[in-house]
Amino acid sequence: MANEEDDPVVQEVDVYLAKSLAEKLYLFQYPVRPASMTYDDIPHLSARIKPKQQKVELEMAIDTLNPNYCRSKGEQIALNVDGTCADETSTYSSKLMDKQTFCSSQTTSNTSRYAAALYRQGELHLTPLHGILQLRPSFSYLDKADAKHREREAASEAGDSSQDEAEEDVKQITVRFSRPESEQARQRRVQSYEFLQKKHAEEPWVHLHYHGLRDSRSEHERQYLLCQGCSSAENTELIKSPSEYLLMLVPPSQEEEKDKPVAPSNVLSMAQLRTLPLADQIKILMKNVKVMPFANLMSLLGPSVDSVAVLRGIQKVAMLVQGNWVVKSDILYPKDSSSPHSGVPAEVLCRGRDFVMWKFTQSRWVVRKEVATVTKLCAEDVKDFLEHMAVVRINRGWEFVLPHDGEFIRKHPDVVQRQHMLWTGIQAKLEKVYNLVKETTPKQPDGQSGPAGLVSGDQRVQVAKSRAQQNHTLLERELQRRKEQVRASAVLPGVQIKEEPLSEEGEEEEEQAVEEGEPMDTSPSGGFHSRLTNGLPVGWAVGGDGFNGHLPPSCASTPVAQELRAFVEATFQRQFVLTLSELKRLFNLHLASLPPGHTLFSGISDRMLQDTVLAAGCKQILVPFPPQTAASPDEQKVFALWESGDMSDQHRQVLLEIFSKNYRVRRNMIQSRLTQECGEDLSKQEVDKVLKDCCVSYGGMWYLKGTVQS
């Protein structure tokens, strides 16, 4: 109380916040000058700024008539900088150092605590500062003087050497071509100091016009330092209650918060985790754990969580491997990221990790050297992939970290089927990218504890023979039962059902596999049984053929056939020309997008898919592939939509007839044939449209879509 009485309040001043120049106001701090001299008295010759760097340069005149100015020193500096010749590029045209340059630098990056104040008529107006720049003398003219000195010395040395030598000696030079810059080298170059300096130097200068203190423009701009609207409604930032104002002056102590244990930034407690949406909980758990059985995931999420919702969410962030869930590669390596070891982009890392995951769907063992050879990635990246989902065994390779979860596979066959479709699409992509040979060796039994490479050829032959002998009788009985059912249920007048000796074909395949030392899958769930019906109603496929190339009426009206017909029609309306291989890939992707339990999961054979395509108004184009083609049989089967109902049907049919006789065609031949068949009034836009719908251009030639072999 005594202190307050000794220091009474003399006057209360209203404070206003002006915002007109809040994003434009800079504070320039000049070097110290005598009190009798202000910078407004010094003529400003020029000013320029680099807005992005907030860098300013001011050029000011020097009073050469001042008695404190050393004229001889000024002349010497001008001579050192410009030399004896005076031209437009000279720094000092008067041959005297009559000006000085000031260059700015930022004093602080956080200017939110600073403001410019203007006191007028009992009111204090504050304007926030956008930047504070300190101006210091620039001595770049000394660098220019040194450069001139080096040039004069080099010229004098060159003159002396030319007098001593009558003619130049012929010197051998070596020409080197720079290698293509790698992604890792480019990132290092972009982050280097030289590159940043060069980038800063490339920013253009923006020239400014200087206005003095008493200039009319300065007087006009100075008015913006006053708050334009002085009503209390427009200055709510400064209207605070006494408690809020006291809190701003004396913020609460943060010592109490420091006493609490702080978890790392990548650690989330279970209490915090359960406050997030279910999809985020699953994503965070899988991203941290990498591999997890479904039962463990349900125990972490809690008993109140619906397992169906968890199944729906886990398929968005993970893939099924040996009955366990492994986090997807794009979750660990998001777009625009790169490897911390080699700097390769995320797309390449995801492809390599998908290859490792796919290998574990085929076997419990993976060899790191094989992965590195196929993916062409460095050893550190490959090791990271394997450590996510496997453990190393000395002299044996890398084994999948979790045991095979057969219980999940038995409980959720729809999910397993859907994941199998996704892996089929990934396998096709990997085979194309890495030029892999399709796997023909079946999966090992679950109880097998060693890698596939440890089984000898004799053992494999014995396994194949024993399995073939055990199941031969069962297969013959199943085949006869199927034939009798077909004859009894599919009696159509005037239609002859084609039958082929499947048993002989199967025996030949078994004998061939035994000779090659590879066991065949001859279990009741595979082999003939899967080739006969593939889970379809009896009578849809007999001996690998349909009913004279068409589905029987009783089968064409089933829900499965209708769904398949709708997919085929919608697909060909969009793409017009497809190979059987591409159509199967699109169908697998379509299956992966369907909900569990959909009718199409009952199983679709290749023959049924082809018959549905033909029944949907499409035709097979017999493209004459070259004899040395590398295309697979499915890639050589080309189907095209013959009639879509638009104006381009006739043009498309003519084009398809051309490709039924030619593997590749030049555009002028297509143009002339279309003009001959469709008339002279055919426009270039119509030709471009039909080519875009059905063909691709490669090396100056045109191919049907999916048939070009690079």
Side-chain angles (χ1 to χ4, degrees):
M1 295 296 293
N3 292 336
E4 292 183 1
E5 292 177 357
D6 295 340
D7 189 13
V9 176
V10 178
Q11 183 183 2
E12 292 186 356
V13 179
D14 293 333
V15 181
Y16 296 93
L17 183 63
K19 295 184 177 180
S20 300
L21 300 177
E23 299 294 330
K24 306 174 184 177
L25 188 60
Y26 288 85
L27 175 64
F28 288 1
Q29 295 179 342
Y30 291 87
V32 178
R33 287 279 179 173
S36 60
M37 180 184 295
T38 64
Y39 279 93
D40 190 62
D41 300 331
I42 303 175
H44 288 65
L45 302 178
S46 65
R48 57 182 184 174
I49 185 174
K50 289 187 176 183
K52 293 183 179 179
Q53 304 175 40
Q54 294 188 359
K55 183 178 180 180
V56 176
E57 279 191 4
L58 298 179
E59 194 175 84
M60 298 182 181
I62 298 178
D63 185 8
T64 58
L65 302 178
N66 191 291
N68 296 323
Y69 181 79
C70 182
R71 190 174 184 85
S72 62
K73 191 66 175 178
E75 291 177 350
Q76 183 63 40
I77 293 175
L79 180 62
N80 293 339
V81 173
D82 298 328
T84 56
C85 300
D87 52 16
E88 296 179 354
T89 61
S90 299
T91 304
Y92 304 111
S93 57
S94 62
K95 297 185 178 180
L96 189 68
M97 184 180 178
D98 55 356
K99 57 185 177 181
Q100 188 174 15
T101 302
F102 292 86
C103 187
S104 69
S105 62
Q106 288 190 4
T107 59
T108 177
S109 58
N110 182 17
T111 58
S112 60
R113 299 183 293 111
Y114 299 93
L118 182 62
Y119 182 76
R120 178 172 295 184
Q121 298 177 0
E123 297 175 349
L124 185 64
H125 297 262
L126 301 178
T127 301
L129 290 177
H130 188 63
I132 301 177
L133 303 177
Q134 285 186 347
L135 294 170
R136 296 185 176 88
S138 174
F139 301 99
S140 58
Y141 60 89
L142 297 179
D143 298 334
K144 189 174 182 181
D146 291 341
K148 288 278 187 180
H149 179 68
R150 286 193 294 268
E151 288 178 2
R152 286 194 293 267
E153 288 185 348
S156 62
E157 291 177 0
D160 295 340
S161 62
S162 62
Q163 294 176 1
D164 297 339
E165 298 178 3
E167 59 182 12
E168 286 190 22
D169 295 335
V170 178
K171 296 182 180 180
Q172 181 180 1
I173 61 173
T174 303
V175 180
R176 295 182 179 179
F177 297 93
S178 60
R179 296 180 180 179
E181 188 178 28
S182 64
E183 181 66 21
Q184 185 178 4
R186 189 190 71 81
Q187 290 183 357
R188 288 198 301 265
R189 180 175 60 83
V190 169
Q191 296 174 359
S192 65
Y193 175 77
E194 294 181 359
F195 181 83
L196 296 177
Q197 288 294 103
K198 182 180 178 182
K199 190 174 182 181
H200 288 167
E202 290 175 351
E203 183 182 357
W205 287 99
V206 178
H207 292 274
L208 307 175
H209 183 68
Y210 178 81
H211 296 273
L213 180 63
R214 298 174 184 84
D215 190 85
S216 59
R217 177 65 182 273
S218 299
E219 290 288 346
H220 174 74
E221 293 292 333
R222 198 176 295 117
Q223 297 300 317
Y224 288 110
L225 294 176
L226 300 174
C227 183
Q228 303 300 317
C230 295
S231 62
S232 60
E234 298 182 5
N235 287 274
T236 56
E237 293 88 349
L238 301 180
I239 300 176
K240 303 291 182 182
S241 64
S243 59
E244 292 175 339
Y245 185 65
L246 181 62
L247 189 63
M248 293 172 61
L249 292 177
V250 186
S253 176
Q254 299 181 356
E255 294 180 358
E256 298 179 359
E257 298 180 1
K258 293 181 180 178
D259 296 338
K260 299 178 181 179
V262 179
S265 58
N266 62 339
V267 175
L268 192 66
S269 67
M270 292 302 297
Q272 292 174 319
L273 182 69
R274 285 173 180 164
T275 61
L276 301 176
L278 180 60
D280 293 339
Q281 295 183 43
I282 297 173
K283 182 177 180 180
I284 292 173
L285 286 173
M286 292 305 305
K287 188 174 181 180
N288 284 274
V289 182
K290 307 293 191 301
V291 184
M292 190 186 307
F294 186 73
N296 290 13
L297 179 62
M298 290 299 300
S299 64
L300 290 174
L301 294 175
S304 60
V305 180
D306 183 17
S307 62
V308 178
V310 176
L311 272 177
R312 191 178 300 113
I314 189 65
Q315 296 182 66
K316 297 179 181 179
V317 297
M319 297 290 293
L320 192 65
V321 178
Q322 299 189 23
N324 301 282
W325 291 100
V326 182
V327 65
K328 288 184 177 180
S329 301
D330 54 1
I331 301 296
L332 297 179
Y333 304 106
K335 191 177 180 181
D336 298 331
S337 64
S338 59
S339 168
H341 305 294
S342 59
V344 299
E347 182 182 359
V348 180
L349 293 177
C350 291
R351 193 161 55 229
R353 189 173 180 274
D354 287 345
F355 174 74
V356 174
M357 294 169 62
W358 172 73
K359 289 293 290 182
F360 277 119
T361 64
Q362 308 297 311
S363 172
R364 287 195 57 82
W365 296 86
V366 168
V367 181
R368 186 172 72 169
K369 185 177 180 181
E370 177 189 356
V371 176
T373 303
V374 174
T375 61
K376 303 296 190 295
L377 293 173
C378 68
E380 290 80 5
D381 289 333
V382 175
K383 186 177 179 182
D384 284 349
F385 299 158
L386 293 170
E387 288 178 344
H388 291 168
M389 63 193 82
V391 291
V392 64
R393 306 294 185 193
I394 299 176
N395 297 329
R396 302 186 74 182
W398 291 77
E399 184 183 14
F400 193 68
V401 66
L402 295 178
H404 189 275
D405 192 352
E407 182 180 358
F408 178 84
I409 294 177
R410 289 191 298 271
K411 288 184 177 179
H412 306 280
D414 294 343
V415 177
V416 175
Q417 175 72 7
R418 189 173 183 178
Q419 289 290 311
H420 176 70
M421 296 298 179
L422 289 175
W423 278 120
T424 303
I426 293 175
Q427 178 182 353
K429 183 179 178 180
L430 293 174
E431 289 174 351
K432 185 175 182 181
V433 173
Y434 293 134
N435 296 324
L436 302 176
V437 179
K438 293 186 177 181
E439 297 285 346
T440 56
T441 305
K443 297 181 181 179
Q444 297 178 358
D446 296 341
Q448 190 169 334
S449 59
L454 300 178
V455 180
S456 65
D458 294 338
Q459 291 176 339
R460 299 168 77 183
V461 171
Q462 293 299 326
V463 170
K465 288 183 177 180
S466 61
R467 292 179 64 189
Q469 293 173 359
Q470 292 174 4
N471 295 291
H472 182 75
T473 305
L474 181 62
L475 292 174
E476 287 289 347
R477 189 183 306 136
E478 179 69 16
L479 177 61
Q480 294 298 327
R481 186 179 67 83
R482 292 290 179 182
K483 288 183 177 181
E484 292 175 0
Q485 289 181 354
V486 169
R487 293 191 186 97
S489 60
V491 180
L492 299 177
V495 178
Q496 182 179 359
I497 300 174
K498 179 182 178 181
E499 296 183 3
E500 294 182 0
L502 292 180
S503 59
E504 296 179 2
E505 180 184 353
E507 291 174 358
E508 291 176 0
E509 292 181 358
E510 290 177 2
E511 292 174 359
Q512 181 180 0
V514 171
E515 291 173 1
E516 295 176 355
E518 298 183 2
M520 286 193 60
D521 188 4
T522 55
S523 59
S525 59
F528 289 109
H529 182 69
S530 60
R531 290 198 301 268
L532 281 172
T533 60
N534 199 13
L536 300 177
V538 178
W540 279 33
V542 179
D545 284 319
F547 290 77
N548 292 339
H550 301 281
L551 296 176
S554 60
C555 297
S557 60
T558 61
V560 178
Q562 293 174 358
E563 289 284 344
L564 183 60
R565 176 73 174 264
F567 162 77
V568 169
E569 291 177 348
T571 302
F572 275 93
Q573 284 291 339
R574 292 192 305 268
Q575 303 208 23
F576 295 103
V577 176
L578 287 170
T579 63
L580 180 59
S581 175
E582 179 66 11
L583 182 61
K584 289 164 65 176
R585 187 185 70 83
L586 294 176
F587 182 64
N588 288 336
L589 294 177
H590 177 66
L591 286 179
S593 65
L594 296 177
H598 196 273
T599 56
L600 285 181
F601 282 110
S602 59
I604 303 297
S605 65
D606 291 354
R607 172 57 62 187
M608 181 184 178
L609 185 61
Q610 296 180 61
D611 291 343
T612 305
V613 170
L614 298 176
C618 302
K619 288 190 177 182
Q620 183 175 357
I621 310 302
L622 301 178
V623 179
F625 282 83
Q628 68 277 13
T629 182
S632 64
D634 286 350
E635 292 174 343
Q636 295 186 33
K637 292 182 180 180
V638 184
F639 297 92
L641 183 61
W642 194 253
E643 292 182 357
S644 63
D646 57 9
M647 301 296 294
S648 303
D649 283 348
Q650 183 182 2
H651 306 158
R652 193 181 306 109
Q653 293 171 6
V654 173
L655 181 67
L656 295 176
E657 290 179 357
I658 295 175
F659 280 100
S660 65
K661 300 177 181 178
N662 302 274
Y663 172 60
R664 57 183 181 180
V665 187
R666 294 190 179 274
R667 182 188 173 95
N668 55 4
M669 177 181 177
I670 298 175
Q671 181 84 35
S672 60
R673 181 68 181 274
L674 287 173
T675 303
Q676 178 182 355
E677 296 291 338
C678 304
E680 297 290 341
D681 57 345
L682 190 65
S683 63
K684 181 178 180 296
Q685 289 77 11
E686 293 174 327
V687 177
D688 291 341
K689 181 181 182 303
V690 71
L691 287 175
K692 181 180 178 182
D693 291 343
C694 304
C695 304
V696 292
S697 177
Y698 183 79
M701 305 294 288
W702 288 87
Y703 302 78
L704 276 184
K705 287 184 177 180
T707 62
V708 59
Q709 301 293 320
S710 58

